[in-house]
Amino acid sequence: MADLRINLAGIESPNPFWLASAPPTNSGYQVQRAFEAGWGGAVWKTLGDPILNVTSRFAAVSFNGQRVAGFNNIELITDRPLEVNLKEIYETKKRFPNHTIIASLMVEPSQEKWHEIVKKVEDVGVDGLELNFGCPHGMAERGMGSASGQVPELVEKQTYWAKEAAKTPVIVKLTPNITDITVTAEAAVKGGADAISMINTINSLAGVDIDSWNTIPHVGGIGAHGGYCGPAVKPIALHMVGECARNPRINIPISGIGGISNWKNAVEFLLMGATSVQVCTAAMHHGFRIVEDMIEGLDHYLDERGIASVMDLVGKSVEKYSNWGDLDLNYKVVAQINNDICINCNKCHIACEDTSHQCIDMLKDPSGNSLLKVREEDCVGCNLCAIVCPVDGAIDMIEIPSGLPPMTWNERQAALGVVSCESNK
Amino acid sequence: MSNVNQVRISVENLSRNFQEVHPGLTKQEAMEESNRCLYCYDAPCITACPTGIDIPTFIKKIASGNVLGSAKTIMTANPIGASCARVCPTEELCEGACVLNHSTKPIMIGNLQRYATDWAIQNEQILFQPGKKNGKTVAIIGGGPAGLASARELGRLGYDVTIFEAEEKAGGLNTYGIVSFRLPKEISYWEVKQVESLHVRIRTNTRVGKDISVEAILENYDIVVLAIGMSSVPDIGVSGEDLAGVYDAIEFVKETKTKPISNQFLKKRVAVIGAGNTAIDGATCSVRLGAANVKVLYRRTIEEMTAYEFEYEFAKQDGVEFRWLTAPKRIIGDGQGHVKEIECIKMELGEPGEDGRRRPVPIEGSEFTLEVDAVIKAIGQSRYVDLIEEFALEHNGGVIKIDHNTFQTSNEKVFACGDVIFGKGQGEAMVVSAAQQGKETAHAIHKSLFHSVTETS
Ligand SMILES: Cc1cc2nc3c(=O)[nH]c(=O)nc-3n(C[C@H](O)[C@H](O)[C@H](O)COP(=O)(O)OP(=O)(O)OC[C@H]3O[C@@H](n4cnc5c(N)ncnc54)[C@H](O)[C@@H]3O)c2cc1C
Ligand SMILES: Cc1cc2nc3c(=O)[nH]c(=O)nc-3n(C[C@H](O)[C@H](O)[C@H](O)COP(=O)(O)O)c2cc1C
Ligand code: SF4
C-alpha cells in the first residue's frame, strides 16, 4: 500500500482526492457522507452573499449516447446562510479532524469584506481557503467571480487582502475564461497566494432546442450562458495546469480541477504538476462512491511501479511539456496497419484520402481478400488513421529513423540567423 | 446428426472439443460492455447474486482500468468467483435482475466477471492476506466450493484451518464434475491456490472415515465443517445396470477431466437418463467424444426439467435429442455383457407428489426399445449417509439438518454447508450458493466463538 497522503502548501490530506466547491459540498450532511466514502478533502460550496438562485440550473451534453460528456450550469454560490455553513463546517471538522476542509470564498472586492469572511471561516477550523475568482455567471455581473478573476490587478489585490487576514494557506481558484491563464496565476503569486487551483467552469451554452427554439437550459423561455465542466473540459484544464506548472514564475503548488472522472485522469493531473485533484461532475453523475476505485486504482498504480508515495508523482511529466519551437522537426512516425487485426471498415482509408495525405491504399491480396496498406513514403505521421480506427491494435504509429540529426524550429531559426518568434515564457 | 455446434465439434481431434467453448471477452469488448453498465445505486444485480458481489463496482473498476481491484471486489464477496463467472445461471441471477432488461439489453455480468478474474489468473495475483492467528483450529471435510469458501473466510479471520479432501485435488465438482469445455480445472486450481495462500493446509487423498477416523477429527479440532457434497449417481433400479457401457454421469465426466480423451464413444449411440445439469453435461460430453447420436430420456416434461435454460439450449445446439415423458424399463445386453438396447416406457403426468411436482405415471403397453451402445445415468446424486451417521448427526435421508441461521448441526461443534445440506425438491444445487453458505458458515463459527462478527477487510 503506497502512501497516498499529500501536503499542498502546508495543507495535509489523507489522499489527493478532494471534492470541488460545488453542489456535492453544499452541506455538512453531504461532506460527511463524502468523507465516509473516502474523499480526502472537500472544498465547501462557495460562501458569500446574496443567497439567490434560479431553477432549471443544469444541462448536460451527451455524445453519441454517452451521457454527461459535458456538463453546464447556471447556478450561483451557496444558497444557505453563512451562519449555517459555518456551524456545519465546525461540526464536520470535529467529526473528521484528519480530513481536509477548505472554505471557498467570494466577496465584493473590498479589503474589509475579505478580512471579515476570512476571520469567520478560520474561526470554525478550516484547513485552508480557496478564493473563487472563477464563476463565469451571475456573480460576474456583480464584479465578483470571473469578473475579478479576469483582471490580473484585481486577482493580486484581493489575494493580498485575503492573505493579510489569513492564518491558513490561501489557494486562488482561477477562471479559464481568459486568453493566458499564467497571467492571472502570476498575479495570484504576486498577491502572496500559497497555491492555485484550476479550472473553474468555461463559458458555455449547452444547446438550443430545435423544436421550441429555447436555449438549453432556459429559465422561463430565456437563457444565459453558463459554466462548462465534466469530461469534455479535461484537455483544456490539463493544458492550463501544465502551463502553470512549467512556468518558473508560478512556483506554488497546484490543485487540478476539470473533467477528472477516475484514477487515471487523476494520475495525469498529478504528473502534469497538480498536488491534489478536485472533482465535481463525476461525483454528481455517480455519487461519492466513485472515490473507492479512485483510491484503489491510484494505490495499485503506485504499487505496481514501486513508487512509495503519491507525492513522488507530482510534476513528473512537466519537463516533457514544452513549446512547439522545441519539437524535433526530424522526428518521424508513420502509420502501419496490422491486417490480421484490421476488420476492414476502411475508415482510415477514407479519412486519409479525403482529409489527410492520400496514402492508405485499398488493395487485394492474391486470394482476393481486402487489404489496407500505408505508403510510408507519403505518410506524414498525422495519427488521423489511428484515431479513427475502431479496433485496438489495428494501426500502430511507428517511429522510423529519418536519418537526420534532431533539429528544432528554434535551432533551425538560430542556424538561419533569424530571431525566434516564440516568446520564451 | 445435424447440429449447430457441429462446426465447433471435431471428430478428428476430440481433445479440442473439450477446450473452453466460449472465448473470454477481449479488452475492447470488456471496455465497451463495462462502460455500458449504468453503475446503478442499490443495484438489483447485487441482491440477485447469492454471494452479494458489488457488481456495479467491479464493473466500474474494469472500465477505469483497475482490473486488480475489480478481481478483489469479486473474490472478496465470492471466493469461487472465477468458476462462478463461467457456471452461474446468470440469466436467472444477476443478469436477470439488470435494470437494462427494461430498456435495452442486460449487461454481460458473467463475462465481465470472467474478464476480471481471468486477468488475475493470468497475472498470478494473490488477492488476500491471512489474518492474525487467533489460536482456534478448524477441520473442513471436503474441499469443494463450500469447503473452500469457508476456509477462505476462516483463513482471513485468523483460524488454523485444515481441509481434508478425498480426491487428489481440491475443488470438488468444479475440478472433477463440471465439464472442461465450460469450466477448465485450471480455474478451480487457482481458487484453491488463493485459499492455500491464507496458510490453509489441504490434505488431499484423505477420505475422512477411511484414511482418518471421524473420532480423530472430532477430538483434534475445535470446530468441524462438513462440506462433503453429495455422492455418486444412484442406481435407477432397472435390470441391466451392471452391464458394460452403463456409466455414472459424474464418473463419466470426471474421466474426461482427468484422463486423456478416449475415442471409445466415436460414432456410438448414447442414452442419458435424467434431465438435470448432470444429464446435460453427460450428454454434451458424449457429443464431444464423437458420439453419433445422443438422446436424453426424461420421465417428466420440459417444465419439470431442472437443468438451467442455458444448459438446455447448449445441449440442443450440440445436437442432443430430448425425449420427454420417457422412462427406462430395462437395459438389455448383447449376451456378452455389453449394452445393446434400452427398453423404455412412455409416461404421463399424474397428481403432484411430495415435492409439489406432478408425478409421472407409466402408460401401460407403451413400451418401446432404442438401440444404444452406452447408457449414462444422471438421475441426481446419492448421499453420504454412512459418514453423516458416523458423525452421529441428525439428517433427513442424507440431508444434514442444520439451524439455518448458524449452520450448526445437531452436534454444536459441527457445522455443515453446501450440497450436503441441499434439500430435496429444491431444483438444482449451485456452486454460488455453496460458496455463500461456506462464507456464512465461517462467519457463524466466528460469531459462536467470539460473539461478534469482525468484518474481514
Ligand atoms: C455434472 C454437474 C454439473 C453441474 N453444473 C453446475 C453449473 O453449471 N452451475 C452450478 O452452479 N452448479 C452446477 N453443479 C452443482 C455444483 O457443482 C454443486 O452444487 C457444488 O459443487 C456443491 O459444492 P460442495 O462444496 O457442497 O460439494 P462438492 O463440489 O461436491 O465438493 C465436495 C468435496 O468433498 C469431498 N469429499 C466427499 N466426501 C469426503 C470425505 N469423506 N472425506 C474427505 N473429502 C470428502 C469430495 O471429494 C469433494 O471434493 C453441477 C453439478 C454436477 C454434478
Ligand atoms: C453545478 C455546479 C456548481 C458549481 N459551483 C461552484 C462554486 O460555487 N464555486 C466554485 O468555486 N466552483 C463551482 N463550480 C465549479 C467546480 O468546482 C469545478 O471547478 C468544475 O465543475 C470543474 O470540475 P469537474 O469537471 O470535475 O466538474 C460548480 C460547478 C458546477 C457543475
Ligand atoms: S443492474 Fe445492470 S446496469 Fe445496473 S449496475 Fe447492475 S449490471 Fe450495471
Side-chain angles (χ1 to χ4, degrees), chain B residues 179-198:
Chain B
V179 289
S180 307
F181 43 90
R182 290 203 293 124
L183 179 58
K185 1 179 237 273
E186 292 68 31
I187 307 303
S188 179
Y189 292 165
W190 179 75
E191 286 162 344
V192 173
K193 207 165 88 192
Q194 293 296 313
V195 173
E196 282 175 319
S197 73
L198 301 170

Side-chain angles (χ1 to χ4, degrees), chain B residues 124-318:
Chain B
E124 302 182 355
Q125 297 289 323
I126 294 295
L127 303 178
F128 303 101
Q129 304 302 320
K132 210 172 132 264
K133 286 275 169 280
N134 64 21
K136 299 285 180 190
T137 59
V138 181
I140 298 178
I141 326 292
L148 288 171
S150 64
R152 210 290 301 271
E153 287 304 88
L154 290 166
R156 288 181 76 193
L157 289 166
Y159 288 80
D160 183 341
V161 183
T162 309
I163 296 180
F164 294 90
E165 169 53 56
E167 297 289 343
E168 191 190 327
K169 296 275 187 185
L173 289 170
N174 286 358
T175 299
Y176 294 112
I178 302 181
V179 289
S180 307
F181 43 90
R182 290 203 293 124
L183 179 58
K185 1 179 237 273
E186 292 68 31
I187 307 303
S188 179
Y189 292 165
W190 179 75
E191 286 162 344
V192 173
K193 207 165 88 192
Q194 293 296 313
V195 173
E196 282 175 319
S197 73
L198 301 170
H199 306 329
V200 169
R201 272 180 303 276
I202 306 189
R203 288 180 54 184
T204 51
N205 291 317
T206 310
R207 184 173 288 278
V208 172
K210 181 167 152 264
D211 303 311
I212 180 168
S213 72
V214 168
E215 298 81 69
I217 297 273
L218 285 171
E219 249 164 52
N220 294 331
Y221 294 88
D222 298 323
I223 295 286
V224 177
V225 176
L226 214 52
I228 52 178
M230 293 188 271
S231 180
S232 51
V233 179
D235 283 342
I236 309 174
V238 299
S239 63
E241 282 190 64
D242 49 352
L243 290 167
V246 180
Y247 301 87
D248 164 329
I250 297 175
E251 280 301 317
F252 174 71
V253 172
K254 185 174 169 187
E255 293 248 320
T256 66
K257 287 194 96 173
T258 51
K259 298 198 178 133
I261 298 298
S262 86
N263 58 6
Q264 59 177 13
F265 271 66
L266 209 55
K267 310 233 162 67
K268 297 284 162 64
R269 295 156 303 180
V270 181
V272 181
I273 318 291
N277 295 316
T278 315
I280 303 275
D281 278 7
T284 50
C285 251
S286 307
V287 173
R288 269 142 218 280
L289 286 170
N293 180 282
V294 181
K295 290 187 177 66
V296 167
L297 312 182
Y298 185 45
R299 59 192 181 129
R300 304 179 197 247
T301 74
I302 188 169
E303 297 300 322
E304 290 81 26
M305 167 187 81
T306 51
Y308 307 130
E309 189 59 32
F310 76 93
E311 280 262 62
Y312 172 61
E313 282 304 320
F314 183 78
K316 282 203 302 189
Q317 280 181 26
D318 259 9

